[in-house]
């Protein structure tokens, strides 16, 4: 599962919790969240959220959703 975000500190944890609540075998699901140049607390939240089966990519510059998704797919 890939999630691209930009300055989503307000709703990010709720979105991540929703993804983790999916009825899908844990050993077959990896969640990759990519921050597209966020300037709020999004990067900090993603950094603390990472663990097995969860990866965060932090892009330094805001370059748009398509670019963020391309980075995440390259990591998948």
């Amino acid at each position: 599962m890939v999630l691209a975000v930009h300055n989503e500190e307000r709703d990010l944890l709720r979105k991540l919790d929703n993804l983790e609540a999916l009825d899908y075998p844990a050993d077959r699901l990896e969640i990759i969240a990519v921050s597209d140049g966020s300037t709020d607390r999004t990067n900090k939240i993603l950094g603390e959220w990472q663990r097995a089966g969860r990866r965060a990519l932090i892009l330094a510059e805001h370059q748009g959703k398509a670019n963020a998704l391309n980075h995440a797919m390259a990591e998948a």
Side-chain angles (χ1 to χ4, degrees):
M1 178 73 57
V2 173
L3 176 68
V5 296
H6 175 75
N7 290 346
E8 289 287 334
E9 72 177 324
R10 187 179 59 137
D11 299 315
L12 183 55
L13 285 176
R14 183 177 48 82
K15 288 179 182 185
L16 295 170
D17 287 344
N18 285 341
L19 290 177
E20 291 176 4
L22 292 173
D23 185 19
Y24 203 84
D27 64 328
R28 303 193 57 123
L29 177 66
E30 178 181 35
I31 301 171
I32 301 173
V34 56
S35 173
D36 181 31
S38 295
T39 56
D40 62 359
R41 293 185 58 248
T42 296
N43 298 343
K44 182 178 182 345
I45 293 167
L46 287 178
E48 294 171 354
W49 166 82
Q50 287 191 101
R51 66 174 183 237
R54 305 171 172 183
R55 283 198 282 168
L57 301 175
I58 309 299
L59 303 180
E61 295 181 25
H62 180 60
Q63 296 181 3
K65 184 176 182 177
N67 181 66
L69 291 173
N70 287 336
H71 274 83
M73 292 305 294
E75 290 288 321

